[in-house]
Amino acid sequence: MAKELTGDLLRGNLDLMILSTLADGAKYGYLIQQRLGDASRGLISIKAGTLYPILHKLEEDKLVKCRWEDSTGRQRKWYELTAKGEKRLHHRASQWQQLAATLQELLTPVLGPDAAPAFE
């Protein structure tokens, strides 16, 4: 298994992944990075230079809102989903499920009928 997923597999899906990390509550940048890494068992590692421009774009599109808070002992910018962001997340998640099902069917001859995502 690959150590990390390649950029071409992630491109176009990072906004969905980031919105998904916020589905269970507000997070600051490092927590978003950590959640992505944990959920993928280390296959997804996005750097701050990639993460923050996406967060700024999501904020500009009113999919997330942010607030400054120092509850962790230092001033951090916390991000959370807006109602519009939740709607977009559900729509994109549904689209992604349809794509994943299609890919699974197309890859069955290559991987076998019992192939499922595996983490090492």
Side-chain angles (χ1 to χ4, degrees):
M1 169 137 333
K3 286 186 176 185
E4 286 188 5
L5 296 175
T6 60
D8 61 328
L9 288 174
L10 297 177
R11 204 169 292 113
N13 292 303
L14 283 175
D15 60 337
L16 173 61
M17 290 184 231
I18 292 168
L19 291 173
S20 295
T21 66
L22 300 173
D24 63 351
K27 292 176 182 60
Y28 56 89
Y30 178 75
L31 292 178
I32 294 169
Q33 290 173 305
Q34 191 174 39
R35 176 71 180 114
L36 289 169
D38 291 349
S40 69
R41 299 190 178 54
L43 290 175
I44 298 172
S45 174
I46 64 171
K47 305 206 179 325
T50 300
L51 175 63
Y52 288 104
I54 295 170
L55 285 168
H56 294 151
K57 176 73 171 125
L58 293 172
E59 184 180 6
E60 182 180 300
D61 293 343
K62 301 195 181 333
L63 300 174
V64 299
K65 60 183 176 182
C66 63
R67 69 180 185 280
W68 287 97
E69 192 176 295
D70 62 1
S71 62
T72 60
R74 71 185 267 208
Q75 190 80 344
R76 297 183 192 275
K77 194 173 188 179
W78 288 76
Y79 298 88
E80 63 184 301
L81 287 176
T82 62
K84 183 178 177 181
E86 285 185 47
K87 186 176 179 180
R88 174 78 55 90
L89 172 58
H90 289 286
H91 177 72
R92 290 287 314 276
S94 176
Q95 288 180 320
W96 190 91
Q97 269 189 319
Q98 291 171 345
L99 175 61
T102 302
L103 283 172
Q104 186 67 36
E105 183 172 329
L106 291 170
L107 292 174
T108 296
V110 177
L111 301 173
D114 298 326
F119 292 107
E120 292 182 352

